[in-house]
Amino acid sequence: MKVKVIVMPKAAVLDPQGNAVRDAMRHLGMPEVRSVRIGKYMEIDVDGENGEIESRLHGLCRDLLSNPVIEDYELQKSSASAKAMARQHRSVDASPNTLASGRAGEGEVSKDE
């Protein structure tokens, strides 16, 4: 099973790297760019597809791959069973490939729940 992990700064956290890229884009002829957020993207290839593996991946996202104080994470699985697993983890994201999100607010699952 291939899993994508996307880690982004929380909305309330300043992103100076994103601001620098936004300013450079404006300077290079894209004045329409309103904001840029810089995060991390990882692809993880895992043997197996059971709920225990997914639960452990969430733990790794919380404890290793993201800083829960300033970052949110999202796990996405690229297989047909992603919809069932999303329901299992109470994700309300409309994407069929989203397993669960580490974002709090806006109807999404908090990492602390």
Side-chain angles (χ1 to χ4, degrees), residues 4-60:
K4 297 175 186 177
V5 178
I6 302 164
V7 180
M8 295 295 293
K10 290 185 177 189
V13 173
L14 296 176
D15 185 1
Q17 186 179 10
N19 289 343
V21 170
R22 179 204 60 210
D23 293 346
M25 292 175 77
R26 288 176 176 173
H27 179 73
L28 293 170
M30 288 289 301
E32 303 86 0
V33 175
R34 295 186 63 200
S35 69
V36 175
R37 304 290 282 172
I38 303 290
K40 299 179 273 188
Y41 171 85
M42 293 155 259
E43 286 188 355
I44 302 170
D45 197 3
V46 184
D47 291 331
E49 291 194 27
N50 64 37
E52 178 192 333
I53 290 174
E54 183 187 341
S55 176
R56 289 171 35 212
L57 281 170
H58 277 284
L60 287 173

Side-chain angles (χ1 to χ4, degrees), residues 11 92 103-109:
V92 294
R103 288 178 283 195
E106 297 183 21
E108 294 169 307
V109 177

Side-chain angles (χ1 to χ4, degrees), residues 5-10 39-42 44 57-75 101-103 110-112:
V5 178
I6 302 164
V7 180
M8 295 295 293
K10 290 185 177 189
K40 299 179 273 188
Y41 171 85
M42 293 155 259
I44 302 170
L57 281 170
H58 277 284
L60 287 173
C61 285
R62 277 190 311 271
D63 301 337
L64 175 69
L65 302 177
S66 72
N67 178 344
V69 174
I70 62 169
E71 294 175 316
D72 297 319
Y73 73 86
E74 183 177 325
L75 278 177
S101 173
R103 288 178 283 195
S110 169
K111 290 189 285 187
D112 298 328

